[in-house]
């Protein structure tokens, strides 16, 4: 019976690992859809490099810093390259989380960042920035754990960490060309909301593994509660964002409503195992206006260009989700369940400490990277698009139509009229005319 239970638990965690890996397809589709078509290949390449390179760096060093023998509850110093580590199932599950925290950066600095500078930041995130926060909370030896900090699946460890890094990087890289001109904030629309919607569905699907398998066992009572909370927080986020944007802007905003699902998911991640379904719905409902106003504040007031709204989704809603545990924890620690302000205060300490560490370490790291690699592509490369300039090919065939027509001096109408015809047929038709 014990062997069977071990096998069932192993299968559950491995299934969760696969689902979290699949979330990277969702990130790629959301980011590609919410940005311009001329940068789609670049977005995809960055996401593939994030999971691949980030995973290798985490294997070599990041896991040891996160889960190794602790130095003062700050970071680990053993288990480099898995030396002495036996539990591969836990390691590979955590590897997917590490890559998820790093990839939040991708969308926030999209369409203008030098890919080699981005690679440098991914190494920084996977090597030390994320693992240190993870050690504080999830190693069982960290100083935040000892305080009683609660973050079940990563509203702070994964999402707030990634969002703060994204904010610092977006500030240091600067906005896209044309985003801010003459005191105006110009909207640069994405090229495919359907693609973005597909990405959100993939992320929502993967989040059931992200939160559900964080139980680390196929617990028949805990797992259904975690998955139910995950669903209902996201659903509440969608509903609340659609109504709030209708009230705020006079129409149900498509891109914000899609992000509303993610806002609810980020919000519930810290307390998925600690709140009731009612609590999860309330968390999702409150995440919606925080998202909408957060996007506006970051873009219009702070003048930080985040093409996909990643900073608001993962940062502001990550803070909310972490603090919400102090309000809605149904195990007697939440303020609304008779627990007083103690847990809420501890949650706030964790948020502040994470923001401080990530801000300083990422800013210092990017400053060093900048000394070796330009943070931005050139103006000409940004205008032409990173697909052709950095990867040698566009994402879509129709971009070739414009390019080849211009080279040969043809009009686009001419190309469409004769699309699919041989050169001889075209010449014969023109002679007949």
């Amino acid at each position: 019976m014990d062997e069977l239970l071990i096998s069932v638990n192993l299968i559950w965690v491995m299934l969760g690992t696969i689902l979290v890996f699949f979330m990277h397809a969702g990130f790629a589709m959301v980011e590609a859809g919410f940005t311009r078509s001329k940068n789609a290949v670049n977005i995809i390449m960055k996401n593939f490099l994030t999971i691949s390179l980030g995973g290798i760096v985490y294997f070599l060093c990041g896991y040891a810093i996160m889960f190794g023998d602790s130095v003062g509850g700050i970071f680990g110093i053993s288990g480099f390259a898995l030396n002495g580590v036996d539990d591969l199932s836990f390691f590979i599950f955590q590897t997917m989380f590490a890559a998820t925290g790093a990839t939040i950066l991708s969308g926030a600095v999209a369409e203008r960042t030098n890919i080699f500078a981005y690679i440098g930041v991914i190494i920084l995130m996977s090597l030390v920035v994320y693992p240190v926060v993870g050690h504080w909370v999830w190693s069982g030896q960290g100083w935040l754990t000892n305080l009683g900090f609660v973050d079940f699946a990563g509203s702070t460890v994964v999402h707030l960490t990634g969002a703060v890094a994204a904010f610092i990087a977006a500030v240091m890289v600067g906005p896209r060309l044309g985003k801010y001109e003459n005191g105006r904030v110009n909207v640069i629309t994405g090229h495919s909301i359907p693609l973005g919607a597909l990405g959100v569905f993939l992320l929502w699907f993967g989040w059931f593994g992200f939160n559900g398998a964080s139980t680390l066992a196929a617990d028949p009572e805990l797992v259904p509660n975690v998955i139910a909370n995950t669903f209902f927080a996201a659903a509440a986020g969608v509903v609340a964002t659609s109504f709030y944007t209708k009230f705020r802007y006079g129409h149900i905003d498509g891109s914000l409503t899609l992000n509303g699902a993610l806002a609810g998911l980020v919000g519930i991640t810290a307390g998925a195992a600690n709140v009731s379904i009612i609590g999860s719905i309330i968390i999702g409902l409150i995440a919606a206006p925080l998202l909408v106003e957060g996007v506006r504040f970051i873009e219009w007031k702070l003048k930080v260009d985040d093409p996909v709204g990643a900073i608001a989704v993962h940062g502001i809603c990550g803070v909310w989700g972490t603090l919400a545990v102090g309000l809605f924890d149904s195990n007697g620690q939440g303020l609304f369940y008779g627990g007083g302000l103690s847990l809420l205060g501890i949650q706030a300490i964790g948020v502040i400490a994470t923001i401080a560490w990530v801000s300083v370490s990422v800013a210092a790291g990017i400053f060093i990277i900048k000394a070796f690699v330009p943070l931005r592509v050139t103006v000409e490369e940004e205008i032409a698009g990173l697909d052709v300039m950095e990867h040698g090919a566009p994402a879509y065939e129709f971009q070739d139509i414009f390019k080849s027509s211009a080279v040969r001096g043809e009009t686009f109408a001419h190309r469409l009229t004769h699309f699919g015809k041989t050169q001889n047929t075209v010449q014969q038709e023109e002679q007949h005319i």
Side-chain angles (χ1 to χ4, degrees), residues 263-344:
L265 289 165
V266 170
I268 196 57
T269 296
N274 299 72
V275 305
S276 67
I277 291 179
I278 294 296
S280 70
I281 292 174
I282 295 173
I283 289 171
L285 290 174
I286 295 176
L290 290 176
L291 162 71
V292 175
E293 298 305 327
V295 167
R296 185 174 180 85
F297 178 76
I298 291 167
E299 185 174 291
W300 291 71
K301 299 298 182 181
L302 299 183
K303 297 292 192 297
V304 175
D305 185 14
D306 176 4
V308 302
I311 298 169
V313 168
H314 299 276
I316 293 175
C317 296
V319 170
W320 159 238
T322 303
L323 297 178
V325 179
L327 301 174
F328 297 102
D329 183 285
S330 58
N331 298 318
Q333 296 188 79
L335 177 63
F336 299 148
Y337 289 82
L341 294 171
S342 177
L343 180 57
L344 183 61

Side-chain angles (χ1 to χ4, degrees), residues 183-422:
R184 298 196 314 269
V185 180
N186 298 316
V187 176
I188 302 176
T189 57
H191 83 280
S192 178
I193 291 298
L195 196 62
L198 174 62
V200 171
F201 271 120
L202 292 176
L203 286 169
W204 195 339
F205 174 67
W207 227 291
F208 292 127
F210 192 91
N211 287 354
S214 290
T215 59
L216 302 178
D219 189 313
E221 294 184 4
L222 185 57
V223 169
N225 182 63
V226 168
I227 291 180
N229 285 338
T230 300
F231 169 77
F232 282 105
V238 169
V239 173
T241 307
S242 63
F243 280 95
Y244 188 80
T245 54
K246 175 65 175 178
F247 166 78
R248 187 75 163 81
Y249 302 116
H251 60 270
I252 296 177
D253 187 281
S255 62
L256 284 173
T257 300
L258 292 175
N259 266 336
L262 304 182
L265 289 165
V266 170
I268 196 57
T269 296
N274 299 72
V275 305
S276 67
I277 291 179
I278 294 296
S280 70
I281 292 174
I282 295 173
I283 289 171
L285 290 174
I286 295 176
L290 290 176
L291 162 71
V292 175
E293 298 305 327
V295 167
R296 185 174 180 85
F297 178 76
I298 291 167
E299 185 174 291
W300 291 71
K301 299 298 182 181
L302 299 183
K303 297 292 192 297
V304 175
D305 185 14
D306 176 4
V308 302
I311 298 169
V313 168
H314 299 276
I316 293 175
C317 296
V319 170
W320 159 238
T322 303
L323 297 178
V325 179
L327 301 174
F328 297 102
D329 183 285
S330 58
N331 298 318
Q333 296 188 79
L335 177 63
F336 299 148
Y337 289 82
L341 294 171
S342 177
L343 180 57
L344 183 61
I346 292 170
Q347 298 297 98
I349 291 172
V351 166
I352 294 169
T354 298
I355 292 173
W357 159 249
V358 178
S359 297
V360 172
S361 59
V362 171
I366 293 178
F367 183 79
I368 295 172
I369 292 169
K370 186 179 180 180
F372 298 93
V373 181
L375 297 184
R376 291 187 71 113
V377 297
T378 65
V379 171
E380 293 77 13
E381 288 172 332
E382 185 174 346
I383 292 172
L386 304 187
D387 288 359
V388 173
M389 302 306 294
E390 288 204 324
H391 307 287
Y396 302 104
E397 192 277 336
F398 75 81
Q399 291 172 308
D400 281 335
I401 295 176
F402 288 103
K403 183 179 178 182
S404 60
S405 298
V407 169
R408 295 205 307 269
E410 300 172 351
T411 65
F412 183 49
H414 181 275
R415 284 279 289 168
L416 288 179
T417 302
H418 301 296
F419 183 74
K421 300 176 183 178
T422 66

